[in-house]
Amino acid sequence: MSKEKMDAYKIRKANRKQEIAKEKRRKKAARAAWYTVGAICVVGICAAVGMTGWNSYKSYVDSLPDYNATELIVDDVVGILDLEDETDEAEETVAEDSESEETVAETAEENTEAEENVSD
């Protein structure tokens, strides 16, 4: 071998431990990166499956009948509930009419008294 080749070989041999250590660090870093990416993918897939399951459960729960008292009222086919509302409204209008009749009677009395005073 030539003198140049021997010098290059000696330099590589002298730095071999450091190069091997660098290569090991690169491999460890690459392995850690792959594990991290793999873990992120697994977590993402688990989250997607979990959200799909949760949404399915929520839609199932929403589709179940709700037995609250307000939902047990049968539709008013005959119109009975409307009659109750009308009677309430009728009572209110009767009360308003009686009040308006009283005011009409009072104004009529005032008018008759005013006419009597004018004619006197």
Side-chain angles (χ1 to χ4, degrees):
M1 288 206 306
S2 70
K3 176 94 170 139
E4 294 171 0
K5 287 184 180 178
M6 287 297 290
D7 290 338
Y9 176 74
K10 286 180 183 179
I11 292 172
R12 274 186 295 171
K13 190 175 180 182
N15 294 331
R16 189 175 295 164
K17 286 184 180 180
Q18 289 135 357
E19 288 177 13
I20 290 173
K22 283 182 185 178
E23 189 63 32
K24 283 183 179 181
R25 281 193 301 262
R26 283 189 205 123
K27 285 183 180 180
K28 283 183 180 181
R31 191 177 308 135
W34 279 109
Y35 284 147
T36 303
V37 169
I40 289 171
C41 289
V42 167
V43 167
I45 290 170
C46 289
V49 169
M51 288 302 294
T52 302
W54 179 256
N55 290 337
S56 298
Y57 172 73
K58 288 300 249 179
S59 64
Y60 169 73
V61 168
D62 290 341
S63 69
L64 291 176
D66 189 14
Y67 295 110
N68 291 334
T70 57
E71 292 185 9
L72 291 176
I73 296 175
V74 179
D75 290 336
D76 188 23
V77 177
V78 181
I80 295 171
L81 295 177
D82 291 337
L83 292 176
E84 291 176 2
D85 292 338
E86 289 176 5
T87 56
D88 292 340
E89 291 175 7
E91 290 174 2
E92 290 175 5
T93 55
V94 167
E96 290 174 3
D97 289 342
S98 64
E99 289 176 5
S100 63
E101 288 176 3
E102 290 175 3
T103 56
V104 168
E106 289 175 4
T107 55
E109 289 176 13
E110 290 174 1
N111 288 340
T112 54
E113 289 177 4
E115 288 176 4
E116 288 177 5
N117 289 338
V118 171
S119 60
D120 286 334

